[in-house]
């Protein structure tokens, strides 16, 4: 399944690499590749680009998979928003991932942090130190320069609201190809999705299973009822729903069996799809859109780690 957009061709099912343990990152990435995943979503902030690059290099060689058959995404972290830091951050990610071009580069959040090596800069009271001397458009223009340079095929935004996206879209010379946000039946982001469809932007949903939170979408009575009726797992129902409404998605299976399950997605009957649409619960699990501080990444006190 492919989605055409702004000259990019991104697989609808992607593997998210937010896994804290290095060895598990390598194993899970290999399992995902073997299960059929061809889109790998990374980030400088995850601190495991090197492990993902190692796993993909070995896995692609073993299975005879060409670089052109893999869609690689990574993200610019908040401490590198100043235009003079963007290219170096991009090149660092390429080196760690062991690739010579990137299919998609995202601004990880629209919040600029104090520049430097500390990814989570805080003051003496524990408050984030923001960088007030750079705007999102400043950063975006530096991202556009990367596309002009030829080693970055497309650019986009992550953890952004519609209110932030619209002015950026209207000012951008190169329009965002992708917007990555939390989305699932408890947070459908319908208005944002409609805007993205109108502007030919791919909405890439992370946490489509509710990040495994309990209680959450995986245990929702409507999801469980549909899963039983269509003989699929609750996870497969949620992934099918996400694809049918026009989003692409990311999951992070840790085992070979789970990777195969998450890659085996088939359309829901219309009545089942509508049952999921009619879920009324509303809940956001990651509040990064409000502060730029990632909700799913453990805070590391020592910036040297």
């Amino acid at each position: 399944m492919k989605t055409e957009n702004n000259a990019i061709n991104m697989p609808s099912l992607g593997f998210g690499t937010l896994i804290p343990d290095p060895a598990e990152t390598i194993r899970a990435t290999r399992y995902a590749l073997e299960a059929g995943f061809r889109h790998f979503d990374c980030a400088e902030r995850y601190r495991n680009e090197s492990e993902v690059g190692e796993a993909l290099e070995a896995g692609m060689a073993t299975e005879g998979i060409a670089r052109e058959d893999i869609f690689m995404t990574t993200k610019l972290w908040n401490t590198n928003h100043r235009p003079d830091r963007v290219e170096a951050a991009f090149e660092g990610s390429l080196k760690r991932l062991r690739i010579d071009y990137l299919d998609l580069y995202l601004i990880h959040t629209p919040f600029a942090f104090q520049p430097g090596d500390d990814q989570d800069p805080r003051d003496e009271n524990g408050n984030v130190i923001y960088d007030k001397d750079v705007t999102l458009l400043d950063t975006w223009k530096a991202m556009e320069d990367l596309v002009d340079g030829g080693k970055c095929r497309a650019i986009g935004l992550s953890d952004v609201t519609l209110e932030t996206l619209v002015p950026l879209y209207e000012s951008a010379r190169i329009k965002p190809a992708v917007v990555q946000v939390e989305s699932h039946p408890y947070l459908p982001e319908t208005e944002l999705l409609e805007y993205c469809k109108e502007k030919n932007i791919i909405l890439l949903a992370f946490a489509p299973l509710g990040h495994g939170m309990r209680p959450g979408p995986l245990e929702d009575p409507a999801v469980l009822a549909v899963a039983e009726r269509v003989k699929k797992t609750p996870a497969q129902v949620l992934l099918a729903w996400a694809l049918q409404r026009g989003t692409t998605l990311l999951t992070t299976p840790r085992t070979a069996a789970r990777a195969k399950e998450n890659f085996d997605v088939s359309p829901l009957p219309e009545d089942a799809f509508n049952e999921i649409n009619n879920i009324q619960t509303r809940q956001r699990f990651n509040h990064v859109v409000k502060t730029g501080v990632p909700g799913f990444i453990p805070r590391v006190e020592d910036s040297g780690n």
Side-chain angles (χ1 to χ4, degrees):
M1 288 172 286
K2 303 281 187 177
T3 301
E4 298 288 342
N5 175 274
N6 293 358
I8 71 169
N9 194 9
M10 186 174 77
S12 296
L13 289 167
F15 177 73
T17 61
L18 177 50
I19 303 172
D21 181 73
E24 189 175 22
T25 296
I26 293 172
R27 287 194 302 271
T29 301
R30 287 292 297 269
Y31 292 148
L33 189 68
E34 291 162 8
F37 285 89
R38 294 296 179 265
H39 176 197
F40 292 84
D41 178 87
C42 312
E44 174 189 354
R45 183 66 179 88
Y46 299 168
R47 299 173 179 264
N48 64 355
E49 288 175 315
S50 296
E51 286 78 13
V52 173
E54 175 186 335
L56 287 177
E57 186 177 68
M60 290 163 65
T62 298
E63 300 192 32
I65 300 170
R67 167 68 183 93
E68 294 70 32
D69 295 327
I70 299 293
F71 191 97
M72 292 296 298
T73 298
T74 197
K75 308 181 193 79
L76 176 80
W77 183 236
N78 300 352
T79 51
N80 290 317
H81 275 216
R82 292 195 179 187
D84 61 355
R85 296 179 65 89
V86 171
E87 185 175 5
F90 173 79
E91 293 290 347
S93 286
L94 285 186
K95 184 176 181 180
R96 289 186 292 272
L97 290 167
R98 306 186 185 195
I99 54 179
D100 57 11
Y101 72 91
L102 201 61
D103 296 281
L104 175 66
Y105 199 36
L106 302 176
I107 297 179
H108 201 145
T109 89
F111 296 87
F113 288 2
Q114 174 181 274
D117 294 333
D118 185 353
Q119 292 185 335
D120 191 25
R122 305 272 176 153
D123 63 19
E124 62 275 10
N125 298 316
N127 299 313
V128 172
I129 305 173
Y130 292 97
D131 185 356
K132 304 296 186 183
D133 296 327
V134 60
T135 68
L136 186 59
L137 185 58
D138 292 335
T139 308
W140 187 259
K141 288 177 178 177
M143 300 280 281
E144 292 174 330
D145 291 341
L146 294 177
V147 178
D148 295 338
K151 291 198 287 186
C152 182
R153 301 285 172 87
I155 50 179
L157 299 155
S158 175
D159 297 317
V160 68
T161 62
L162 182 60
E163 291 72 24
T164 302
L165 171 62
V166 171
L168 188 282
Y169 180 91
E170 292 175 349
S171 300
R173 174 173 61 87
I174 299 175
K175 304 302 183 185
V178 174
V179 168
Q180 182 183 137
V181 294
E182 177 184 350
S183 183
H184 41 72
Y186 288 5
L187 188 67
E189 291 282 17
T190 304
E191 191 179 0
L192 178 60
L193 177 58
E194 291 307 313
Y195 181 84
C196 287
K197 287 179 177 179
E198 176 190 332
K199 300 299 185 183
N200 199 30
I201 301 170
I202 295 172
L203 195 152
L204 177 58
F206 74 80
L209 308 180
H211 199 61
M213 297 294 187
R214 301 286 194 272
L218 282 168
E219 295 177 337
D220 189 273
V223 174
L224 294 176
V226 167
E228 186 174 358
R229 195 162 77 245
V230 301
K231 302 298 187 284
K232 289 286 189 176
T233 67
Q236 289 170 326
V237 167
L238 289 169
L239 300 182
W241 173 82
L243 294 178
Q244 276 173 256
R245 65 195 299 261
T247 70
T248 58
L249 55 87
L250 300 170
T251 62
T252 307
R254 307 292 183 96
T255 66
R258 194 70 74 189
K260 290 176 183 175
E261 175 189 337
N262 287 7
F263 199 74
D264 177 22
V265 181
S266 52
L268 299 171
E270 186 176 357
D271 62 336
F273 176 69
N274 289 332
E275 284 180 50
I276 307 301
N277 279 337
N278 290 332
I279 290 173
Q280 297 300 309
T281 303
R282 292 292 175 262
Q283 184 174 3
R284 179 186 295 278
F285 295 105
N286 190 329
H287 295 280
V288 62
V289 295
K290 298 178 180 178
T291 62
V293 178
F296 296 159
I297 303 176
R299 186 176 170 197
V300 179
E301 295 293 342
D302 181 3
S303 62
N305 285 350

